[in-house]
Each structure stands twice: as structure tokens, then as C-alpha cells.
Amino acid sequence: MSADKIQQAIYDALTGDATLMALIVKVCVEVEQPDMPGEDSDFPYVTFGEDDISSFDTKTDNGGSALCQIDIWSRQNNLIEVKKIAGVIYGILQKGSLNIVDADHVLTRIEGQLFSKDPDGQTKRGMVMARVVYDEMT
């Protein structure tokens, strides 16, 4: 399974949710997260981090599990905004449905959330780890 197909399915689910899109500026797909976001950067926004994909193919079926990192970036004075956004993402993905090209979505579980202050002293970060399980269509 191509990691970009899983990312696209998550992207579609996130950007298709009006509640989330009302809270953030955008969901960035092809953006390199800068070490020091500029003062004029638009916040809050969501980016995609690293993925860890494991297959569990059998003689008759192909499938896998992907642990996907979703990052939330904010410039509020506290972590409340990133926690609120993470809660909305949890509601979208946990037990939600994803439309993955060339695969049947089995389930998505949020395995963890982490909230921290960036070393720049201004930026707050939320990290959501989502496990996506799928069967490939043959």
C-alpha cells in the first residue's frame, strides 16, 4: 500500500469536516514544517508527520496497518487550542470511515496524543498518532 493513499484519505476526512476547518487555517500536505515559523505565518494549522506502515499479508489477502502522525501547530499563549483541535481530529478519525483508494478501510484508532511547547518559545504543538488498518483490494 502506498503511504500517499492513506494520507490522502486522512486529508479528505479532515478537510471534509466543517467543525475542524472552522478552527484551523488549513491542512498542509506538501509543506515542510519550518524550524522557526515566521511571525507572519498563519496559525493554527495541521500537517502530516512520519508514517510507519506494516503489512500483514496472507496467502489469500494483502493488508496492513499504518501508524500516521498528524501535527497541530498554534501560536496561542497556552495549549488549549491544540488540545481542542486534537479532540476534533479524534472525533473524526476514531472509529470513523476513511475512503482509501485501492483498499478497504477496516478501522482507525487514535493510539496517542502529545502536547508540547516548541523550542522557539511561541509555537505550541499537538501530535495525534492514528493507527489505520486496511485490506488491499485485489
Side-chain angles (χ1 to χ4, degrees), residues 116-137:
S116 62
K117 295 179 182 177
D118 204 57
D120 70 5
Q122 295 179 320
T123 309
K124 310 308 180 286
R125 178 185 185 195
M127 185 170 57
V128 177
M129 300 303 293
R131 169 88 50 200
V132 178
V133 180
Y134 59 90
D135 285 326
E136 291 185 34
M137 292 187 289

Side-chain angles (χ1 to χ4, degrees), residues 12-86:
D12 292 344
L14 297 181
T15 57
D17 186 85
T19 302
L20 177 64
M21 296 312 294
L23 293 174
I24 64 174
V25 175
K26 59 188 167 186
V27 177
C28 305
V29 176
E30 298 180 12
V31 172
E32 219 175 281
Q33 174 60 34
D35 291 333
M36 300 289 283
E39 290 296 324
D40 60 348
S41 295
D42 292 329
F43 290 89
Y45 60 93
V46 172
T47 61
F48 291 94
E50 299 177 6
D51 298 329
D52 181 8
I53 300 176
S54 303
S55 64
F56 55 81
D57 299 346
T58 67
K59 284 184 176 184
T60 58
D61 292 316
N62 294 331
S65 171
L67 185 60
C68 305
Q69 178 179 319
I70 302 164
D71 295 309
I72 306 153
W73 303 93
S74 171
R75 281 274 172 91
Q76 289 295 311
N77 292 331
N78 54 48
L79 293 167
I80 293 171
E81 184 174 58
V82 293
K83 289 178 180 181
K84 182 176 183 178
I85 294 167

